[in-house]
Amino acid sequence: MTTSLPIHVIGAGLAGSETAWQLAQNNIPVTLYEMRPIRFTPAHTTSHCAELVCSNSLRSDDPLHNAVGLLHAEMRMLNSLVMAAADANRVPAGSALAVDRERFSQWITQRLEAHPLITLVRQEVLHPFEEGITVIATGPLTEGALAEWMQTTLGQERLAFFDAIAPIVSFDSIDFSKAWKQSRWDKGDGDDYINCPLDKTQYETFVTELLAARKMAFADFEKTPYFEGCLPIEVMAERGMETLRYGPMKPIGLQNPHHPETKPWAVVQLRQDNQMGTLWNMVGFQTKLLQSEQKRIFSMIPGLESAEFMRFGALHRNTFLASPLLLDSFLRLKSKPNILFAGQITGVEGYVESAAMGLWAGLFLVYGLGSSDRQPLVPPPSTTALGSLLRHITGEAVAKHFQPMNVNFGLFPPLPVGIKKNERKTAMAQRAMQDLKTWFEGR
């Protein structure tokens, strides 16, 4: 397949490298732009493509029990460059997929530079190209003129520069013998929130543990002042024992149907985070606690003792789009279809998820540009890891509260009734692999 449209990919991180590779491997020439070593981000230290900056782990490689492991398997099926690099440069890490970081990025760089249909240009790009197609894959540290272009073009309210993320738990793991559904003063539909009550002793113990918990430190380039409207839960707690009870944990306007005669001393509320109702966000619980501390302390909340955390809270510098409002299911900008976004800037978290969005952008362009022997590609089924993540960021997530997300089984459509709880992940994974195989073979 050939096309007369020039294709420009801005950013040679995991996503941009993957996009360029998919195009070139399908006989479509592409120009890949990387500003390093002319200009470095605060986090990068080399000029290699696909540099891993925070960790050498791509997390679990178990496809039958872990959603990211399933995403690994799906990406291998789709001939991912990133997964090939990971497999070629793997180091021992048990069931996790860890790599030699230096060799991993060198391996990818060498293949991109050697490919006859990839032109790797070392320069900073200030805005999308007027001619042809532009894929913006510049990552969560996008700044400078390109960030200003995004802010001006998309609107400041549709581009975030700082994450304040609250934990998300799966609906099935909430104990409704203690929790209940009700909106404060029965506003809205009356049951828009899940409520977890604490008595005075439980609340004071919770705050005490919160104050003593271990926290993650900001990296130097992340030292941004807190916004008063999204303070970490532990920072609010530092202002006094009663602060949370008059803030995100206020109990007013709520009555516990399990104990209607007793007014809760404090209440933790959870808000629905996706349209299927499988994911619920802990309202006001953005935090810098270590993940192990989040699991320990938030499991003290009545109703969440056995909670399955699909995403832990975080607070860090990040640039990401309000993708459910801005992007279609092909990652194209709705207002400018010749501009695509890929990688973490679309609102996914993690190395693998970033590469997956680059893979999808590349596949869509390969099959979406049109030819006599190929039909336009439709998005992968939502029953797959790739499809569920794509659907989440481009429409399934509640746009008003959109925050970056890792792939997890809570994004998948429910299974038929009758499958035991301890068998659901394996059943979802088996369904995903079969559905992706059928989709890809029928492309």
Side-chain angles (χ1 to χ4, degrees), residues 180-228:
W180 77 96
K181 296 185 76 173
Q182 180 192 5
S183 295
R184 207 178 300 278
W185 291 295
D186 295 318
K187 291 183 177 180
D189 291 335
D191 60 354
D192 290 343
Y193 290 82
I194 294 174
N195 302 279
C196 300
L198 294 85
D199 61 27
K200 188 173 187 291
T201 299
Q202 290 169 330
Y203 171 78
E204 291 179 350
T205 301
F206 174 80
V207 173
T208 299
E209 290 294 325
L210 196 61
L211 292 172
R214 293 171 298 154
K215 304 167 184 66
M216 293 185 66
F218 278 115
D220 288 341
F221 62 87
E222 292 183 309
K223 290 182 179 178
T224 301
Y226 295 128
F227 298 114
E228 192 67 24

Side-chain angles (χ1 to χ4, degrees), residues 164-381:
I165 301 175
I168 286 178
V169 303
S170 69
F171 179 83
D172 288 344
S173 67
I174 299 171
D175 183 356
F176 281 94
S177 70
K178 299 177 181 178
W180 77 96
K181 296 185 76 173
Q182 180 192 5
S183 295
R184 207 178 300 278
W185 291 295
D186 295 318
K187 291 183 177 180
D189 291 335
D191 60 354
D192 290 343
Y193 290 82
I194 294 174
N195 302 279
C196 300
L198 294 85
D199 61 27
K200 188 173 187 291
T201 299
Q202 290 169 330
Y203 171 78
E204 291 179 350
T205 301
F206 174 80
V207 173
T208 299
E209 290 294 325
L210 196 61
L211 292 172
R214 293 171 298 154
K215 304 167 184 66
M216 293 185 66
F218 278 115
D220 288 341
F221 62 87
E222 292 183 309
K223 290 182 179 178
T224 301
Y226 295 128
F227 298 114
E228 192 67 24
C230 60
L231 291 172
I233 190 79
E234 61 273 12
V235 172
M236 285 187 275
E238 291 171 356
R239 297 183 174 183
M241 179 61 73
E242 295 290 286
T243 301
L244 294 179
R245 208 167 73 84
Y246 287 91
M249 296 178 67
K250 57 181 177 290
I252 58 174
L254 298 167
Q255 184 178 32
N256 185 350
H258 304 300
H259 300 284
E261 71 286 352
T262 303
K263 183 178 179 180
W265 188 255
V267 170
V268 173
Q269 288 199 308
L270 294 90
R271 178 178 58 228
Q272 186 171 329
D273 200 75
N274 67 342
Q275 293 177 7
M276 290 186 295
T278 56
L279 302 174
W280 288 73
N281 183 298
M282 297 178 67
V283 179
F285 270 61
Q286 54 273 1
T287 179
K288 286 290 287 183
L289 297 185
L290 295 177
Q291 291 187 2
S292 58
E293 294 286 70
Q294 292 182 49
K295 172 67 175 174
R296 179 180 69 85
I297 296 172
F298 297 160
S299 295
M300 297 169 58
I301 298 168
L304 300 184
E305 293 91 344
S306 300
E308 183 178 7
F309 288 85
M310 312 308 291
R311 181 189 74 191
F312 285 102
L315 193 72
H316 56 85
R317 179 179 168 181
N318 199 356
T319 299
F320 67 95
L321 307 177
S323 291
L325 297 175
L326 296 172
L327 303 181
D328 67 14
S329 58
F330 302 104
L331 300 179
R332 295 178 300 189
L333 198 58
K334 293 176 183 178
S335 61
K336 297 178 182 292
N338 64 316
I339 298 174
L340 287 77
F341 284 85
Q344 282 189 254
I345 201 167
T346 64
V348 297
E349 281 279 7
Y351 289 143
V352 182
E353 291 87 341
S354 177
M357 291 303 100
L359 174 64
W360 170 240
L363 286 176
F364 163 65
L365 289 175
V366 168
Y367 292 94
L369 291 172
S371 71
S372 58
D373 61 337
R374 286 175 175 164
Q375 296 298 316
L377 195 63
V378 298

Side-chain angles (χ1 to χ4, degrees), residues 24-78:
Q25 285 294 89
N26 285 276
N27 299 317
I28 299 176
V30 57
T31 304
L32 177 62
Y33 298 85
E34 173 54 55
M35 69 179 185
R36 292 174 291 125
I38 298 170
R39 181 182 174 192
F40 282 85
T41 74
H44 289 84
T45 59
T46 79
S47 60
H48 298 321
C49 301
E51 179 184 345
L52 303 180
V53 298
C54 298
S55 170
N56 73 329
S57 176
L58 303 184
R59 311 188 334 263
S60 173
D61 202 34
D62 178 0
L64 294 180
H65 301 94
N66 191 287
V68 75
L70 175 60
L71 187 57
H72 289 176
E74 293 183 3
M75 291 172 67
R76 289 186 178 106
M77 185 185 298
L78 301 178

Side-chain angles (χ1 to χ4, degrees), residues 154-166:
L154 308 179
Q156 184 172 358
E157 73 282 0
R158 294 184 175 184
L159 187 67
F161 292 95
F162 205 78
D163 270 353
I165 301 175

